Amino acid sequence: MYSPQKKDFVSLTLGDQHNRRYSNGKQRRRSCWRKWKQLSRLQRSLILFLLAFLFICAILSYPSLTEQWRGLSDRSLKDDWLEMENRGLRPIPPGLIPKLQAGAVPAAPGIPAPQDVLPEVQPDIQKPSIPLLPKPPAMRKPPSKRGPPALQMKANVSDSILKEPEQGTSKTNEDTAKETKTVIRAELIISGAGNAAVLKRLVMSPAFLQLCPLLGLRLLLKGNYRLMSKPVDRLEEVREAFRHAWKGYKAFAWGHDELKPISKTHGEWFGLGLTLIDALDTMWILGLKDEFAEARKWIETELSFSKNVDVNLFESTIRILGSLLSTYHLTSDSLFLDKAKDIGSRLMPAFKTPSKIPYSDVNIGKGTAHPPRWTTDSTVAEVTSIQLEFRELSRLTEDPQFKNAVEEVTRQVHVLEGKRDGLVPMFINTNTGKFTRRGAITLGARADSYYEYLLKQWLQGGKKETELLEDYIQAVEGVKKNLLKQSAPGKLTFVGELSNGRLNPKMPADRHNLLRPETVESLFYLYRFTKESKYRDWGWEILQSFNKHSRVPSGGYTSIGNVRDPSNPAPRDKMESFFLSETLKYLFLLFTNDTELISLDKYVFNTEAHPLPIWSSSS
């Protein structure tokens, strides 16, 4: 960061070869009003400035130039300005501004080319507010009010010569004094949103540089300055990312489960508009009213669960049922509660097993359920990570069947043999209700959310169900004892897996990125509890990386196959619904300063980031 004593400026210096004195003479010209109004406000401000200062000095300093100006018609003058407009004087996004290389600035005949070049645009959010600089003493005309407020200009008679004398020449004091009186130094103090980048583009455009010799202008680029940009609104950047993802979904996958952004088509899993439903509460939390309204209309008029289709019990519960319940609480709109009760009732056949441990798959149209074709086992994480949603559905509908079904599963697993210091295997048999002695003991897939829902059920119920907390604490101690290790010789802490009683030092070994939320979710919790800004900064870097490597121009974001090769990340052409439901939601909550927005004292998130209320004592 630059110190407050340093000036940040671009100097525009008019050199005088004929040592004429500076005066306050005025010269007016006619212009084409319609073409003038077509110019941007920044262009008009800069042109007014140049005409007010440089044109006067050029007339007084160059007799031959005066004759040239007298011979110019209004038509040619209009063509000059029109050419400037057509050749690049319109604002462009900052990201498209090319870097200027040394020697790229043409100089007037007889004047050495500038050696310094503009540095890259750098953010500087710590700068003070924009200084208002006085007009030069010689000018009596009030400043134009058409310029943007972030750009303030000043011009003054310089007390020294900015141009260095050529080698082998010397100047007398009298010559120096004459030149001092004929040099105007214009400092453009730049600040505010976007104006620095626009002005840089404007000053360095070919049309402007070609105009400099005509006006006798020497462009001196000072190297010790910084062009400032507006502090980034991170919340708005998250909203923009959601809108971009939604744009692709709406254009190419509307009403379908998932977007394939590269091929501009869609993929189906259940055929229930999974992405649309999963993203409902995210839209509400981000304040995207238009997008929410069109999604609600589709749910009201198009969504039907009476389809002959198999759905996964776990995925349907956390994505569809969880989102509908969450959106009902946020909006108090009974439409979402009615739809939640409908899907919840259609999922109940999964619990009709000999052991009461539910099957993995349900046909919501036929009312039948079954295990996967290749086994009679269910995944432990799946059958123990549906409790938050079904318990809440019972509370809202006053129908105990939903709560009773999932709490029976919790009771069985609580007393089940086969755990290792509170850690569970990955599979459970739906016929016997016992753990299957295969698979690893892991905090990864197929077991992870079992531990998550132990703690979250305890929170949801008002911290009253102590056996849930006890199971959670025992599992944490089991992780420390069995899975937590350090690498050698680096002494890096990692969590491994137990396979056949032996530790496998595996912790994210995959190269792909599926737009998953887990890291951002962790950063959200860490920031809420510590208020350390580094977690926000890390989240911002993640969002920028998504925009750089996963964003598809036509709309949407794609999973990628190889994060280790930025030049060829191998796009997978799939945008998972949890990118909108979880990843962007946690980023928004990470960046907001409103801690009451989904307060952790009032809500608990299900494993798909759908906030459900913590029950009061009366509940």
Side-chain angles (χ1 to χ4, degrees):
M1 183 182 295
Y2 291 103
S3 62
Q5 291 77 16
K6 287 188 178 180
K7 289 186 176 181
D8 297 338
F9 61 85
V10 178
S11 294
L12 300 179
T13 304
L14 178 67
D16 182 14
Q17 297 179 352
H18 299 277
N19 298 329
R20 294 297 182 100
R21 288 183 175 275
Y22 173 79
S23 70
N24 288 329
K26 305 292 184 185
Q27 177 74 17
R28 299 185 181 273
R29 65 174 179 83
R30 293 187 300 160
S31 63
C32 180
W33 180 249
R34 191 169 72 176
K35 295 297 183 183
W36 172 258
K37 292 295 289 183
Q38 290 177 353
L39 298 175
S40 68
R41 297 177 66 183
L42 180 60
Q43 289 173 321
R44 292 199 296 265
S45 300
L46 188 59
I47 291 171
L48 286 174
F49 172 77
L50 292 175
L51 291 180
F53 294 92
L54 308 178
F55 178 62
I56 295 174
C57 293
I59 292 177
L60 297 178
S61 303
Y62 293 88
S64 59
L65 184 60
T66 304
E67 296 300 323
Q68 296 178 24
W69 276 100
R70 288 175 181 171
L72 291 176
S73 64
D74 289 338
R75 178 65 180 172
S76 64
L77 196 59
K78 181 182 73 173
D79 291 340
D80 287 340
W81 295 119
L82 184 59
E83 180 184 1
M84 290 176 64
E85 178 184 3
N86 293 333
R87 295 189 61 178
L89 289 182
R90 291 185 179 275
I92 67 172
L96 298 181
I97 299 174
K99 296 181 181 179
L100 186 68
Q101 301 298 327
V105 182
I111 300 176
Q115 299 301 314
D116 295 322
V117 297
L118 285 170
E120 294 183 22
V121 175
Q122 298 288 339
D124 192 351
I125 62 175
Q126 302 297 329
K127 278 292 186 180
S129 58
I130 305 162
L132 298 177
L133 304 177
K135 296 293 285 186
M139 291 298 293
R140 301 300 182 188
K141 186 178 179 179
S144 169
K145 295 183 180 180
R146 294 184 180 271
L151 177 62
Q152 301 292 339
M153 305 181 182
K154 76 174 182 178
N156 58 283
V157 179
S158 176
D159 294 330
S160 61
I161 303 300
L162 295 181
K163 180 180 178 182
E164 293 296 331
E166 295 184 3
Q167 214 173 20
T169 63
S170 60
K171 298 182 180 180
T172 64
N173 291 338
E174 182 179 357
D175 292 335
T176 302
K178 288 180 180 179
E179 286 191 349
T180 302
K181 296 180 180 180
T182 61
V183 173
I184 292 180
R185 180 184 179 191
E187 295 181 354
L188 305 182
I189 309 300
I190 302 169
S191 179
N195 288 332
V198 172
L199 184 62
K200 177 180 177 182
R201 174 68 175 172
L202 185 62
V203 171
M204 301 314 301
S205 65
F208 181 84
L209 294 174
Q210 290 177 6
L211 186 64
C212 290
L214 181 63
L215 297 178
L217 176 68
R218 178 166 66 88
L219 183 63
L220 180 65
L221 306 178
K222 302 287 286 187
N224 60 338
Y225 72 94
R226 176 181 295 186
L227 298 179
M228 301 185 310
S229 61
K230 180 183 179 181
V232 176
D233 187 340
R234 293 179 174 179
L235 293 178
E236 189 56 38
E237 289 297 312
V238 177
R239 291 191 185 98
E240 194 280 330
F242 187 99
R243 291 190 187 100
H244 185 76
W246 191 252
K247 170 187 172 183
Y249 177 76
K250 185 177 178 181
F252 310 119
W254 183 251
H256 297 282
D257 284 340
E258 294 171 337
L259 168 66
K260 294 184 175 181
I262 297 176
S263 58
K264 299 181 182 179
T265 184
H266 63 269
E268 294 289 29
W269 191 2
F270 307 142
L272 299 175
L274 195 60
T275 292
L276 187 150
I277 299 175
D278 215 3
L280 283 170
D281 54 4
T282 303
M283 287 183 273
W284 186 266
I285 291 170
L286 269 60
L288 302 176
K289 296 181 180 179
D290 294 340
E291 291 81 356
F292 182 84
E294 58 191 4
R296 185 199 181 279
K297 183 178 180 180
W298 183 88
I299 288 175
E300 182 179 30
T301 60
E302 302 293 333
L303 178 61
S304 173
F305 295 124
S306 57
K307 292 185 176 181
N308 181 17
V309 59
D310 280 359
V311 302
N312 179 270
L313 170 66
F314 168 71
E315 297 290 353
S316 299
T317 299
I318 65 172
R319 301 195 195 204
I320 298 176
L321 178 57
S323 180
L324 292 170
L325 291 171
S326 173
T327 307
Y328 168 71
H329 280 292
L330 295 174
T331 65
S332 300
D333 189 336
S334 60
L335 169 68
F336 302 108
L337 180 57
D338 292 340
K339 293 294 184 180
K341 184 176 181 180
D342 187 10
I343 185 63
S345 299
R346 292 176 182 274
L347 293 175
M348 288 303 292
F351 295 90
K352 295 179 180 180
T353 69
S355 66
K356 306 300 182 183
I357 301 297
Y359 289 128
S360 62
D361 297 285
V362 186
N363 188 302
I364 56 176
K366 293 181 177 181
T368 59
H370 58 87
R373 294 186 182 93
W374 58 88
T375 181
T376 57
D377 291 345
S378 288
T379 300
V380 171
E382 292 186 354
V383 302
T384 57
S385 302
I386 53 178
Q387 279 71 11
L388 289 180
E389 297 82 359
F390 277 94
R391 283 164 35 126
E392 178 62 15
L393 183 60
S394 276
R395 191 179 74 89
L396 292 174
T397 62
E398 298 183 349
D399 184 346
Q401 65 167 324
F402 309 111
K403 179 181 179 181
N404 292 341
V406 294
E407 289 193 342
E408 174 63 24
V409 178
T410 302
R411 283 193 292 269
Q412 288 195 43
V413 174
H414 174 67
V415 298
L416 198 59
E417 295 181 354
K419 297 178 186 177
R420 179 162 180 165
D421 299 317
L423 304 179
V424 296
M426 297 170 64
F427 299 100
I428 188 170
N429 189 276
T430 55
N431 291 324
T432 65
K434 297 183 181 298
F435 291 129
T436 302
R437 300 277 180 186
R438 62 187 182 90
I441 291 181
T442 176
L443 294 186
R446 302 184 185 275
D448 50 358
S449 51
Y450 160 72
Y451 308 105
E452 176 186 350
Y453 266 43
L454 287 176
L455 181 63
K456 288 183 173 180
Q457 287 182 81
W458 176 72
L459 292 171
Q460 180 190 45
K463 302 180 180 180
K464 297 176 181 178
E465 299 158 290
T466 56
E467 68 279 1
L468 294 170
L469 180 62
E470 291 170 357
D471 285 353
Y472 177 77
I473 294 176
Q474 184 184 17
V476 171
E477 295 301 319
V479 170
K480 293 178 182 179
K481 178 180 178 181
N482 298 282
L483 305 181
L484 195 65
K485 302 295 179 181
Q486 281 191 334
S487 65
K491 301 298 183 182
L492 300 176
T493 302
F494 67 93
V495 178
E497 295 180 350
L498 279 180
S499 179
N500 297 320
R502 300 183 63 181
L503 181 70
N504 179 14
K506 172 189 174 183
M507 180 176 172
D510 295 318
R511 297 185 178 186
H512 61 255
N513 182 290
L514 306 182
L515 309 175
R516 284 194 179 278
E518 283 82 1
T519 300
V520 178
E521 179 184 6
S522 300
L523 297 177
F524 160 67
Y525 283 118
L526 287 167
Y527 178 76
R528 280 283 179 102
F529 291 128
T530 68
K531 303 301 180 184
E532 293 187 23
S533 60
K534 66 180 180 182
Y535 300 119
R536 281 181 162 178
D537 294 337
W538 294 347
W540 177 242
E541 291 179 13
I542 291 173
L543 178 59
Q544 289 178 304
S545 294
F546 280 137
N547 283 328
K548 182 177 181 181
H549 300 290
S550 298
R551 185 178 174 114
V552 179
S554 58
Y557 291 75
T558 179
S559 303
I560 60 176
N562 188 359
V563 298
R564 300 183 183 180
D565 187 359
S567 62
N568 184 25
R572 291 189 165 190
D573 194 22
K574 185 177 183 180
M575 185 177 78
E576 299 273 2
S577 71
F578 51 66
F579 180 66
L580 300 183
S581 171
E582 300 187 70
T583 307
L584 293 181
K585 182 187 296 169
Y586 281 129
L587 281 169
F588 189 86
L589 294 175
L590 171 65
F591 296 145
T592 185
N593 292 322
D594 183 6
T595 56
E596 288 303 308
L597 181 61
I598 315 299
S599 168
L600 296 179
D601 294 325
K602 300 177 182 178
Y603 291 94
V604 59
F605 289 93
N606 84 337
T607 195
E608 190 74 7
H610 297 302
L612 299 175
I614 292 175
W615 302 342
S616 63
S617 56
S618 59
S619 298

